[in-house]
Amino acid sequence: MAEHPTTTWEAMQDASVFYRRHQVYSIPGKLPNLGDFIVAGCRYGGPIALMRDMNKLIALNRATPVLAKTQIQVYSSAGEGLLLLSWDQGKIVRFGWTGDERLVVLNEEGVYRLYDLQGDYQQYSLGSEAGELGIVDARIHESGLVALTGSLTLLEVRGWDGAKPLTLANPGISQPPFSWAVIPPDLTISRHVEVLLSVDQTIYSVDNLESIDQRLSRGPFTHVSPSPNGKSLALLLSTGLLWVVSTDFQRSLAEFDTHNVIGAEGDVRQVEWCGNDAVLVTWDSLALLVGPFGDTLQWFYRGPTFAITETDGVRLLSPDSCDFIQKVPASSVSVFRPGSTSPSAILYNAWENFTRRSPKADESIRSIRPDLGAAVNECIDAAGREWEPFWQRRLLNAAKFGRAFLDLYDPADFVNMGQALKVLNAVRFYDIGIPLTYTQYTQLSSSSLIDRLTARNLHALALRISSFLSLRPDAVLRHWACAKILRSKPTATGTGKDAELDGDDAVCRSIVEKFESLGGGSVSFADIAKRAWEAGRIELATKLLDHEPRASDQVPLLLNMKEDRLALTKAVESGDTDLVYHVLLHLQKRLPLGTFFRLIEEGGSHLALASKLLQVYAREQNRDMLRDFYYSDDRRVESAVLCLEEANAMVDPTAKITTVKTAQKFFSDDKERSFEAKMMDESARLLALQQQLEKDVDGKMSFFGQSVSETIRTCLVSGMSKRADKIKSDFKVSDKRFWYIKLQALTSIRDFEGLEAFARSKRSPIGYEAFVRHLVDKGHSNEAVAYVARCDAHKRVDLYVLCGEWRMAAKECKDRGDRTKLEQLRKSCPNSLIARELEQIAASMK
Amino acid sequence: MAATAATSASASDGATSKPDSENDYMLDVSQLNEVARKGLVDALNSVNGAKTLVLDPSLAGPLGLVTEVALLKHHGVDKMFWLEPGPLSASTTNIVYLCRPQIRWAKIIADHIKRHARESQKHTYTLLLVPRMSTLIRQILEDEGVLGDITIKSYNLQFIPLADDVISLENDTAFKELWVDGDETVIYDSMQALITLQRMYGLFPRIIGKGDFAARLANLMIRHIPASDPSDSLLNTASEKIDSLIIIDRRTDMITPLLTQLTYEGLVDEMIGIKNSHVELPVSLLTPPSAPNQPNAAASSSAAPPPAQTLMKEKKKKHHLTVATDPLFAELRDLNFSAVGKKLNQVARRIDDDYKLRHQAKTVAQLRDFVGKLGGLQTEHQSLRLHTGLSEMLVPMTRTDHFNKSLEIQQNLLASYDIPTQITAIEDMIAQGTDMQLVLRLLCLASIIAGGIKAKTLENIKRELLQAYGYNYLPLLLSLAAPPLAVLLPSPLPQSTPQSVAASKYPYTTLRKQLRLLLEDPDQLDEVENDISYVYSGYAPISVRLVQCVAQKGGVLSNPAAEKDKKGGDADGRKGKGVAGTGRVQAHPIVGWKGFEDVVASIPGAAVDIVQKIPGALDGALPPVASMMIPREQPSTTVVFFLGGCTYTEIAALRWVGRQNRGRKFLVATTGIVSGSSIIESIAGIERGSGTSKEVGLQ
């Protein structure tokens, strides 16, 4: 029987709160002396990274091998070595962990690498400016970093995909801060990162907009440490006073003098938070837990320790053990506190009686009947808080026992907790070494836990857990496939090329089969193929890529592999125009122009989309290329249209005419396009004529660029009617159109005599009704009347009315003897005066 | 009993044309508005602090529909500028560009950045691309050497609700991009927008479509579903509320948009122009009369809008045409313009009566009631003023020679009556200098209906056109003749024409009979709006007939409204058949093109009919086709997507179809609202008036 949970509890605040220190792993001798190293720990039970602190002298002995080069060692919480990195770049200023357990290493030149647990890395830079200034220090949080440059400005990097660093507001300080910390963006109110710098007596809080002096007078602070929820701040004064304030510096939460702590020797090593309500201060061999009311607990260790803040406690690595210190969760207190009379404690007690076949069990259950549901829930919760499977099982059994007395109970919580505990116990196993609490597990989410396992190459366990939790196996399978490709060697030993193909085939088949059998339907084959390609397995990559349904993933890799035609075809098939552009722009840069064009043209109708998009793009951005493209494909019409578009934009008359002529030539090369050629010929002639016209009027009037009709109109309006006639005959303008133009032009300049003369010049091809209507339209009713008489007889009445000549209309009626029409007029006439006149006319009709 | 209650309710409550019970199952498209707004806010908030917003003018309209300036200000937008060439002086460090991924915008942005660098101004640049990231833009910024200075993000603006049954991508150039440039970006964007719709409401159980691009869109949608996030639960279930998606590609029916729209809203679009639901109106129409608080007889008469002539000259202001604030508009928008006057008259009388009620108010309580209603009355009064004024502006436009001549030509062409004469008439219109787009519309119409225009005649007309309007329109004529558009063709086709053009010949005359496009007896029209053809005074839009082929098969062959009278008698006897007291037939399940396969096949372009597989469905479950055959208990919505845009008349016609059935509503989705003139102008590359004003601000 494992020892009772309460044995590790220690009371605080008059025994109203308990803290417990649980030894998760016993690791004597596994870790080197932490005092000699710079350490960075990863949250959520993650590994720690160690680098020798070059500022310290160490004794040479067997335990610490002599290292000439900078090395970073990574250990799991259980003290197992995971990784050893050699660093050959500039001096490391800081390293830390990302949220997904990658190690970030930043050097003084502003270059940072992200190592995964297999030792593969991506490298990014903070930019050349940062490189020149040099990086002095940095703070790395889960989703980004803030670097302090040589000129004491701050650079922020958001996310871990190589984003461009942003410059934060300049704090304007002249010497490096005594200490500083960063509150990650997801914990601040503004949702942007906030930097706290301890300068002189005070603290500056800096974000990307401004730098605010908090006007404190107690500084300098040797340690600045924000709580896991970003709401409070633990500050250690140089006097040794520990001061806890809210991050907005409005409320002082607690103060505690660490100066007189017994057993504290030397400098304070770390100030870390234990959950959100207690602070752990460590010295070389002492860890002191300060509660919210200044109560303390202390533990002694054999040597230097390293504390890693977790959201619900603190993990403490010491030479002998990996401990987890936390506030005892409410449910555990409720069940196990000595003398507890809470329903859950009674339920647990009843179950123990039951197993001992004591009749008290029934009595106890009866007594808590109304609260039984809550008691069951609390037991389940308490089970989740226990480290020992023995106690987990007992608590779950108690819950199960209590459940039997409930009529309606949703077992989902019970089942979920059982599953979660099974998973947690598995990953806490020292071989795996992830000491995750239930609270952390719910925060981290099961899928990230699986990602962490795969990152350690624990595919089998990850797969089993994901199927146990009925999660999709995709992520695990993808990682597995990549790992498999890297491990497998093309079996090219001796038998030449064929054997190599076989090897690729086998790997590809085994991967595909695995995916099919495990239902990893949405795994991106492109990712895997990319890894294969990066590993130099081009054949394998091509084979894998065939299984990729998403063109957007397929195409970039195909391009990299120089499978140009295939890439273009796939892009076109996907219908994603952006992807097509991606391929086109890429190929245009890489291929000789001729080859590029041929590739598109040979595609025929299949690649029509690509061809069209190229034209759209080139029309705006690269007209010379478009000209070449049309020329190489003998597309005369398009070439001509291109010329015309350019001509339209031109201002210089001569250039415009030349361009139009070029277009004309293109058209005339195509015998189907004789009409267009003729039109362009006319167009060029017109432009030349207009140029001449402008010269003739000394530029007083502008003709250039007008249409034929407009040119005629302008001529007429400016009294050059001879020229107008000439243009009419030159351009074979139809009589009808000419008459309309002249009618409109003369009306607009109120040349009614000219109009009259024109109307008489010959029989109007457009009739005279048009004259009447146009004149009336333009408000010249009086002039219009004259033309009514020349119109068709049966329309005259209405036209007179249109002109407002009611009497004439009536007379017309009379002349034609149309009595009904006259009656109609009388009814619709506007005033009584006219009505009377009409009546008279009607009367006279007899 | 229920039925009479419903009819009486709709009669008494004139403001809403639909009884309330039906609104229950309408899809709530305002969600889309929320999504769009939230997306914008998130995008803006990703940049910390005050920012200067530089806006693509073509986005101002769509954005104006989803947000207002106050919201932008609230999220840190300090000043706004149009994205246009020339210097940009911003007072804030952050500059946020918001634009569609077009090359010219990228160039302007690059110019701004370089200019600032020269003047050593320091700014942080963010570019929000609508609706998604673009390699092209990235490339151009890189070519210009400014990619490093700018952060590129995307703002995924998709469907915007224009009305409670119309959603639009508000892409003005979709038609031209597809059928002239061959740029299929619109299809891809539509696909994503439709998938978003499915993410909200579940998979469309069936996708039916007509037209080559419609087929491409349908196939893209099918292909993309399995690739999307498998955890998305709604993408794994068939939609409860939507019974199918019908995709109509604009090329399938080019005739309809070329005609002059004759509904109220359509005519406003034709004559004045509606852009993003906004119309530019004279200020005096929009501002209430000076003394609105004294609704006595004198005030109401003095409130009459000034005569049309003066209105035309007045300063213009943008007005949002929406049912939300203007209930009268809901009654008017879909009416044939000839009926608008009567309706306005009715409403005027009703309002007058309502005002008179105050004379009957004897007690204080009655008076209080009246005062309570006063606000509503005044809004109604104001909207009555607005629409009366607007109609007055329209009337003279509909009286012009050109307008009537073109209507006459259209009607004759539709009846295939003496086509050579019509072409001569078109020629005359050119001679008279009629608006170019109107002439071209008629010409294309003639070409489509007659299967081409005699080569010699066509050449002559083209020559006339070019001489009258300028030789620079030659590319436009070539575009109209080139495949895949091919709407202006000689007849017979020259030997060298590609096969595809020959195949795209439109079988108008057969369609006219088979789809009952022309109303035989147009006199009836004035009395009842008993067929969708009322929207064009006697011609039924082919596109809507095609939708009817899927969703209201009976309506294609005969008038459901006319039939109603006949059936009314024996309806009570056969309750089981689903003929309700209202006389409206229960909508039949969607079975694809069934019954009209031949007609549909005769129209050029591919026809699709796909039953979407539910990814998660087990084999044992009902095969989807079988389950679809069972008449639905629940009312459902049919989504009709117009690829390449639709006209207001088509929306009106679909609303009419929706009213004929019980249990089926239509949700019109489109790439944008088009009209014949907007199509022709976009091909010609003419920008439509509004949106170019220097004043910055959303509508």
Side-chain angles (χ1 to χ4, degrees), chain A residues 215-236:
Chain A
R215 303 194 178 281
L216 308 179
S217 52
R218 310 181 69 170
F221 305 97
T222 56
H223 286 80
V224 179
S225 163
S227 67
N229 63 6
K231 291 209 164 62
S232 349
L233 202 61
L235 301 167
L236 191 68

Side-chain angles (χ1 to χ4, degrees), chain B residues 13-62:
Chain B
D13 181 18
T16 52
S17 54
K18 289 160 246 135
D20 287 343
S21 61
E22 291 192 0
N23 289 338
D24 294 347
Y25 65 86
M26 276 299 294
L27 290 182
D28 181 16
V29 288
S30 62
Q31 276 182 52
L32 290 165
N33 226 333
E34 278 306 310
V35 170
R37 186 173 315 169
K38 190 170 172 301
L40 182 64
V41 166
D42 289 348
L44 286 177
N45 281 355
S46 69
V47 181
N48 201 7
K51 49 215 146 225
T52 303
L53 184 68
V54 187
L55 197 62
D56 166 359
S58 78
L59 276 175

Side-chain angles (χ1 to χ4, degrees), chain B residues 315-333:
Chain B
K315 204 168 156 248
K316 301 280 168 72
K317 195 179 154 197
K318 276 184 181 161
H319 171 69
H320 189 181
L321 277 180
T322 167
V323 178
T325 55
D326 183 357
L328 182 58
F329 184 57
E331 292 179 67
L332 292 173
R333 60 181 176 189

Side-chain angles (χ1 to χ4, degrees), chain A residues 304-348:
Chain A
T305 54
F306 184 76
I308 303 152
T309 297
E310 299 278 5
T311 50
D312 60 339
V314 61
R315 192 148 42 100
L316 193 68
L317 285 151
S318 71
D320 294 319
S321 62
C322 169
D323 289 347
F324 187 73
I325 299 168
Q326 74 178 135
K327 184 178 168 184
V328 178
S331 56
S332 301
V333 174
S334 172
V335 179
F336 289 123
R337 190 165 63 94
S340 171
T341 53
S342 70
S344 51
I346 294 173
L347 173 64
Y348 182 75

Side-chain angles (χ1 to χ4, degrees), chain B residues 342-476:
Chain B
K342 213 160 84 185
K343 186 84 202 174
L344 285 172
N345 202 348
Q346 265 175 27
V347 175
R349 238 173 248 154
R350 197 190 68 222
I351 293 179
D352 192 37
D353 286 350
D354 286 347
Y355 272 131
K356 277 182 191 145
L357 276 181
R358 79 184 188 284
H359 298 302
Q360 295 161 12
K362 299 273 190 305
T363 66
V364 177
Q366 281 172 330
L367 207 60
R368 194 191 56 211
D369 280 354
F370 175 76
V371 173
K373 276 192 252 165
L374 209 54
L377 271 178
Q378 276 164 5
T379 344
E380 252 186 299
H381 191 160
Q382 167 56 16
S383 76
L384 179 66
R385 246 174 64 81
L386 174 81
H387 291 293
T388 317
L390 194 51
S391 322
E392 274 210 320
M393 282 169 69
L394 291 179
V395 168
M397 298 184 194
T398 58
R399 295 260 166 83
T400 62
D401 233 16
H402 296 166
F403 183 83
N404 286 317
K405 190 76 196 164
S406 76
L407 274 194
E408 187 190 327
I409 298 175
Q410 283 172 20
Q411 295 292 348
N412 288 340
L413 282 174
L414 286 173
S416 307
Y417 169 76
D418 195 5
I419 287 170
T421 316
Q422 310 314 322
I423 290 176
T424 320
I426 298 172
E427 232 170 326
D428 284 352
M429 289 181 82
I430 300 176
Q432 289 171 40
T434 316
D435 203 4
M436 192 263 313
Q437 53 92 1
L438 192 61
V439 175
L440 269 184
R441 278 165 81 168
L442 292 171
L443 204 57
C444 292
L445 193 65
S447 166
I448 297 171
I449 285 175
I453 299 170
K454 251 200 230 132
K456 193 79 198 144
T457 325
L458 182 63
E459 223 162 74
N460 260 334
I461 295 191
K462 283 208 263 189
R463 195 167 150 270
E464 288 282 298
L465 260 171
L466 292 175
Q467 287 199 349
Y469 305 109
Y471 292 106
N472 47 342
Y473 286 113
L474 184 67
L476 168 64

